[in-house]
Amino acid sequence: MRTYHCFWLLLWAGQPHQSFLTSLPQRTSGFPEKEKVLLLSGNSRRDLHRSKRSWMWNQFFLLEEYTGTDYQYVGKLHSDQDKGDGSLKYILSGDGAGDLFIINENTGDIQATKRLDREEKPVYILRAQAINRRTGRPVEPESEFIIKIHDINDNEPMFTKDVYNASIPEMSDVGTFVVQVTATDADDPTYGNSAKVVYSILQGQPYFSVESETGIIKTALLNMDRENREQYQVVIQAKDMGGQMGGLSGTTTVNITLTDVNDNPPRFPQSTYQFRAPESTPPDSPIGRIKANDADVDENAEIEYSITEGDSYDMFGITTDKDTQEGIITVKKALDFENKNLYILKVEATNPHVDPRFLYLGPFKDSATVRIQVEDVDEPPVFSRPAYIMEVKEDVPINSVIGTVTAQDPDAAKNPVKYSVDRHTDMDRIFNINSGNGSIFTSKPLDRETLLWHNITVIAAEINNPKQSSRVPVFIKVLDVNDNAPEFAMFYETFVCENAKAEQLIQTLSAVDKDDSYSGHQFSFSIAPEAASSSNFTLQDNRDNTAGIFTRKIRYNRHEMSTYFLPVVISDNDYPIQSSTETVTIRVCACDHRGKMLSCNAEALIHPTGLSTGALIAILLCIIILLVTVVLFAALRRQRKKEPLIISKEDIRDNIVSYNDEGGGEEDTQAFDIGTLRNPEAIDDNKLRRDIVPETLFMPRRTATARDNTDVRDFINQRLKENDTDPTAPPYDSLATYAYEGNGSVAESLSSLESVTTDGDQDYDYLSDWGPRFKKLADMYGTMDSDKDS
């Protein structure tokens, strides 16, 4: 370790005097014993004279990471005003003053209390001052000085990453750049070699090397093959002090991966492959897999397979499974053991992505031989055709053969075959088949007009193994024969006007035929021979499959003959000729001058679209007469109601009307006033009965008011109160209408029940005073009294 000397520059204050060198007292151990005093200005060979003096501090150095037991001595502060009597006090301020740096205020000695780290703070700026203890005034101006921490090699180099990852293609040339590593040293790079880093490789030789100054890693070995080794781990050291002995060092790990290049061709692990395929294998079915090995990976290991040559190699195909890189051999055509049972193919595997740099390694393809053995399978019978089309006339007799199907066993055994009809395709069992020779014949009559085509399925099965069967469709077309007579295209019902003229066309006829005609239908029309001579109409054949009906006479009378039936014979020209007789209905109708039908004696065929004016007027007159009749009837009814109920004095119906009819309730105001029942005192004396015509005006007899029955009144009031408070009770007016009627009626009670409550007999003489209307009643009651007396 180097030893440094600290010098203080002492400037004398006060009067000018000669500068001199003085030796300071001995310092703390470990520091120089002699100190140098530097002159502020002038030359040491002559005296300095200044008008004003002050002190100035030089830059001091302290060693970092001091390990002594005592405080590290920094320097001594001394003023020429210090007489040694303790009157001066030295003060230190600035970075770390009082904590990191302390000063003896009496002697001016400065010490560092802690270990200093240059990497934390390399420079400290302090200010020193001397003051008078008694007055507290400075005796020297404040001066600033710098303490610089001297670096030692206490930091090892540190890499920017703990682990580096890099990759290079395999088979790279020597000196190919891999990656650059970087290490930094926290020590002072401007002082010594503490921060000078040198790189070296500790692990990874002889494959890689590193440049000592830049940290660049390069390949050092030729033709490194990924297939032999893919991963490499390289350890790099960074050492300071220029790599000299005693320097500090750090390491990092570099993981290097070799990436793949297409430097390996595909290779089949065996030269010959053998597969077996049943002859029943359907086309596009796989029968085997082959695989060529490629040491490369990803797209460099992709393989394409192809069949280059062989026996009937077009019978097979090969594709590549992209996931496994296997070649899948498939059947392209149906195999036949009886025809060929062994195929030898040559299959080639190639790399689609070839690197031209490695073509010198040889062709990037390989080939192998594939032997395919076809196995015999018990196959079902095979028909001679994929489908059969047969024709048969519809008039053939039953059990007539219409065609034959043939099938045989394709196997070498040539097993016999039997035939049958799939009844699901022939539910009506119209056809049958000979199980031995496959001839199809009819079992029921055919009708082309009912069904033109019959689609059935024939089954051929081996007799020894019925499970081995096959099917074939058979399409049977029924040919037409002329077995249907022509007939009208529609039902014809027409009319003829009474005022028709002779030779007038009244209807055009047309016909249809269910049979088929290759040259087209040709129909002929004529009137039936039995009606031709007596017919009132004529028929004209238009020779275009239509005919017209014409009138034969001038007028027709619907009253004499309302309907004519005209028989028409229709014939075709096919063989054999077919004919039919159809009837045309002709009605005789009244028509206007334009020939428009007005009416017929039967239901009109054509209804008019509206009513005539005369018909409308007649309907209106009927409605008016009906309304007048209704009005007159209503008037007579009203007049009859105004007449008195009793016309004859001897009419005894007065009893019924007067004493048995209760009227219509409150709404029947014509019979009586309901208010009278509620308030007998408010009777209008001049109000008369409304149901009779008054003859003589008389004053009604007023009788004494009956005694009020308090029990009944209380009962009714109680019931009224209960119903008023009951929300489910009927409307109040219903109760009020038939409730207690008051003190009594004007006529008092006429009931025989009331008579039992009286002690004496009642007097009915007053009835005679009511007029002749009540005379009969008075006689009746008076008679009863007389009978009783006698």
Side-chain angles (χ1 to χ4, degrees), residues 327-373:
I328 305 174
I329 300 176
T330 58
V331 177
K332 295 175 63 176
K333 298 180 181 180
L335 301 176
D336 188 0
F337 173 82
E338 290 72 25
N339 185 26
K340 189 175 179 63
N341 57 18
L342 179 63
Y343 294 88
I344 300 176
L345 308 175
K346 184 178 181 180
V347 178
E348 188 174 79
T350 59
N351 280 142
H353 307 285
V354 179
D355 194 336
R357 296 178 300 170
F358 305 104
L359 290 177
Y360 68 92
L361 296 177
F364 282 77
K365 61 183 179 180
D366 194 14
S367 60
T369 301
V370 177
R371 298 170 58 89
I372 301 175
Q373 182 72 44

Side-chain angles (χ1 to χ4, degrees), residues 209-229:
S209 63
V210 62
E211 293 183 356
S212 60
E213 296 183 357
T214 62
I216 295 176
I217 301 174
K218 297 180 179 180
T219 59
L221 187 64
L222 186 63
N223 296 331
M224 287 190 293
D225 193 359
R226 184 199 65 83
E227 287 72 34
N228 294 330
R229 183 177 178 182

Side-chain angles (χ1 to χ4, degrees), residues 665-667 672-683 713 732-745:
E666 288 185 6
E667 297 181 357
F672 56 86
D673 187 1
I674 195 67
T676 306
L677 296 177
R678 295 172 178 164
N679 189 9
E681 308 298 337
I683 298 177
R713 180 185 295 275
Y732 72 93
D733 56 345
S734 299
L735 184 63
T737 302
Y738 303 102
Y740 183 64
E741 295 182 354
N743 294 331
S745 63

